[in-house]
Amino acid sequence: MDVINPATGERADTIEAHTESDVEAALERASAAFETWQDEPIRKREELLAAAGDVLRENKREYAETMTREMGKPISQAIAEVEKCAWVCDHYAEHGSAYLEADSHASPPGSDVKTVYDPLGPILAVMPWNFPFWQVFRFAAPHLTSGNVGLLKHASNVPGCAQAIEEVFRQAGYPDGVFQSLLIPSDLVDDIIEDERVKAATVTGSGPAGRAVASTAGDQLKKSVLELGGSDPFIILDDADIDDAAETGAWARNQNGGQSCIAGKRFLVHTDVYDEFLERFVDEIESLTVGDPTDEATDIGPQARADLMDDLHEQVEASVEAGADVLTGGEPMDRKGAYYPPTVLTDIPEGCPADSEETFGPVAAVYELDDEAAIVAKATDTEFGLGASIWTTDRERGRRLAREIDAGCVYVNQLVKSDPRVPFGGVKASGYGRELAREGMLEFVNRKTVWVE
């Protein structure tokens, strides 16, 4: 696997991929590890997870530099990502046993009925490049702690991250085989899911990847959880704090180079504040620093791969040809590397790529809408349903509208984010199932009823 630094376009490293025999050996190790790991006391598993958090903190600069080199994340954001991974380890180290506590049920006198939560076994996690540490740890922290073992098939452009994550668990003291990274092409995924030793699968990534995994898992009657794409509405109502909404909105669209499923993508603005918001929004976006991702002052680095930047630009060009206006950005930057500038489109025609597709990069589509009803209709007029953000000074109004938005999570006066303390996931083409909190931890367990008379 060649590692291409997207900031330079040059090869930074070559890492040897695993063979089919390597995969077979890994599956055998995972199966053997589960037999003993599932019987480890929960407190022991929590202690090891806390140790993993310590390893992350101790080596955060090294891990951040690996991310920056492989997929272009600005170094300050990469460090913050490693720190967030340590946080999710802390969270499940503290709360894992409580989340797995058996639930009691009403029962006849003299009987005791509970639901207990037993692990399933080896779980395959197919993970993306955009948050190459966080996406993995929000899977691994709860599910290793519940007694499962993990097999990671990471994106092919971040093999160094995959190796580093496996090393985190090794340094923390996890037994051999409890967490393994498989450096393999996507065409081996189906065979792994079909293997009887693998009990479930989870995917964070594109719609096609999710559908492929879900189809194979479904054919094998195996549990799956999908966190897929999004085209999140960022709603600015007529009573919003415009300065706050514009500042947060600019960051919600452009952090991580705009390469986020939960980034604010479609900005739906009430006509009464449209001009004011748009002016402030463009000012905020144009103030962001695009540059060398190893520089602490950089806000936006390169896109993760040159081909992804080309795809994004094709979406912009097609939208402009359909009638959209470019207020800022809109062309690849004239410099070495896969750099695309923060871009704002207005007067978005219905059905053009910026309107109907997920734009996975720093491109904001801004709409002017007449009233609350039109905003809600536009917010839900999408195949996606991952997140939404609503801006209003009337919190009760925000709560009411949140119930009308067809999405897995809605944030009022805050950007959409994943947090270890609350469930995260989507509906419609954005997937199914939940990650994080107790709900996420219970996705890959046998919810076993135990009736004792």
Side-chain angles (χ1 to χ4, degrees), residues 306-370:
D307 63 305
L308 297 173
M309 182 189 72
D310 293 341
D311 291 344
L312 179 69
H313 186 51
E314 288 179 6
Q315 290 178 302
V316 171
E317 286 185 312
S319 299
V320 170
E321 289 173 5
D325 289 332
V326 179
L327 294 193
T328 188
E331 292 285 345
M333 298 180 73
D334 185 17
R335 60 179 296 170
K336 192 175 185 179
Y339 285 91
Y340 203 84
T343 297
V344 177
L345 304 178
T346 60
D347 299 319
I348 316 295
E350 184 175 350
C352 76
D355 178 65
S356 60
E357 300 174 6
E358 179 180 31
T359 50
F360 211 67
V363 177
V366 185
Y367 299 78
E368 180 178 3
L369 295 157
D370 291 336

Side-chain angles (χ1 to χ4, degrees), residues 63-389:
Y63 300 147
E65 288 173 350
T66 300
M67 274 189 264
T68 297
R69 180 174 63 255
E70 291 192 330
M71 52 75 60
K73 190 186 299 287
I75 190 66
S76 59
Q77 295 173 43
I79 290 172
E81 180 170 334
V82 179
E83 291 171 340
K84 188 172 184 179
C85 294
W87 177 29
V88 78
C89 291
D90 294 344
H91 180 80
Y92 284 101
E94 180 180 355
H95 299 289
S97 56
Y99 287 162
L100 294 172
E101 190 72 32
D103 291 323
S104 297
H105 303 285
S107 59
S111 62
D112 178 69
V113 182
K114 291 183 177 180
T115 297
V116 299
Y117 302 102
D118 295 339
L120 299 180
I123 311 296
L124 176 66
V126 180
M127 292 291 134
W129 49 261
N130 59 332
F131 290 91
F133 269 65
W134 169 245
Q135 309 281 24
V136 177
F137 273 90
R138 77 180 187 190
F139 154 75
H143 299 306
L144 298 188
T145 306
S146 66
N148 294 299
V149 302
L151 294 160
L152 169 64
K153 189 283 180 215
H154 218 325
S156 59
N157 61 326
V158 288
C161 291
Q163 290 180 324
I165 293 167
E166 182 174 338
E167 183 61 25
V168 169
F169 290 109
R170 185 177 297 115
Q171 288 188 34
Y174 278 74
D176 182 54
V178 170
F179 183 91
Q180 300 176 81
S181 288
L182 305 177
L183 303 181
I184 58 173
S186 297
D187 58 11
L188 293 183
V189 168
D190 282 351
D191 290 343
I192 294 172
I193 297 173
E194 291 171 352
D195 192 288
E196 64 180 9
R197 289 165 291 190
V198 173
K199 304 305 180 184
T202 182
V203 180
T204 297
S206 68
R211 287 182 173 88
V213 168
S215 176
T216 304
D219 185 62
Q220 300 296 312
L221 296 179
K222 294 180 180 179
K223 178 70 181 288
S224 61
V225 169
L226 310 181
E227 193 269 277
L228 307 177
S231 188
D232 289 9
F234 194 100
I235 294 168
I236 299 93
L237 298 174
D238 53 327
D239 63 347
D241 181 327
I242 298 303
D243 287 342
D244 196 10
E247 180 180 359
T248 305
W251 189 240
R253 172 63 278 194
N254 291 287
Q255 66 172 321
N256 200 44
Q259 300 164 123
S260 172
C261 295
I262 56 172
K265 296 188 175 76
R266 295 175 300 132
F267 290 77
L268 313 181
V269 190
H270 194 287
T271 187
D272 290 352
V273 294
Y274 177 79
D275 291 337
E276 180 185 1
F277 172 80
L278 189 59
E279 180 179 2
R280 287 284 292 112
F281 185 58
V282 172
D283 287 346
E284 288 288 344
I285 282 178
E286 291 181 339
S287 73
L288 296 171
T289 300
V290 181
D292 181 353
T294 66
D295 188 336
E296 298 279 355
T298 293
D299 297 311
I300 301 175
Q303 299 296 279
R305 299 198 314 258
D307 63 305
L308 297 173
M309 182 189 72
D310 293 341
D311 291 344
L312 179 69
H313 186 51
E314 288 179 6
Q315 290 178 302
V316 171
E317 286 185 312
S319 299
V320 170
E321 289 173 5
D325 289 332
V326 179
L327 294 193
T328 188
E331 292 285 345
M333 298 180 73
D334 185 17
R335 60 179 296 170
K336 192 175 185 179
Y339 285 91
Y340 203 84
T343 297
V344 177
L345 304 178
T346 60
D347 299 319
I348 316 295
E350 184 175 350
C352 76
D355 178 65
S356 60
E357 300 174 6
E358 179 180 31
T359 50
F360 211 67
V363 177
V366 185
Y367 299 78
E368 180 178 3
L369 295 157
D370 291 336
D371 54 35
E372 186 180 288
I375 288 172
V376 171
K378 188 63 181 178
T380 56
D381 182 23
T382 173
E383 66 174 325
F384 299 106
L386 191 53
S389 182

Side-chain angles (χ1 to χ4, degrees), residues 46 65 102 129 159 188 229 301 393 435 452:
E46 289 173 328
E65 288 173 350
W129 49 261
L188 293 183
T393 53
E435 297 178 289
V452 179

Side-chain angles (χ1 to χ4, degrees), residues 14-90:
T14 299
I15 296 176
E16 187 174 352
H18 288 140
T19 64
E20 291 188 27
S21 62
D22 293 330
V23 172
E24 169 60 29
L27 290 171
E28 193 57 35
R29 283 192 299 272
S31 181
F34 176 66
E35 293 307 312
T36 54
W37 180 246
Q38 65 177 324
D39 294 326
E40 285 283 357
I42 180 65
R43 187 59 197 142
K44 176 65 174 178
R45 297 198 294 262
E46 289 173 328
E47 289 171 353
L48 287 171
L49 188 61
D54 292 339
V55 173
L56 286 162
R57 292 188 183 90
E58 291 164 5
N59 300 282
K60 63 183 179 182
R61 183 79 193 191
E62 174 189 343
Y63 300 147
E65 288 173 350
T66 300
M67 274 189 264
T68 297
R69 180 174 63 255
E70 291 192 330
M71 52 75 60
K73 190 186 299 287
I75 190 66
S76 59
Q77 295 173 43
I79 290 172
E81 180 170 334
V82 179
E83 291 171 340
K84 188 172 184 179
C85 294
W87 177 29
V88 78
C89 291
D90 294 344

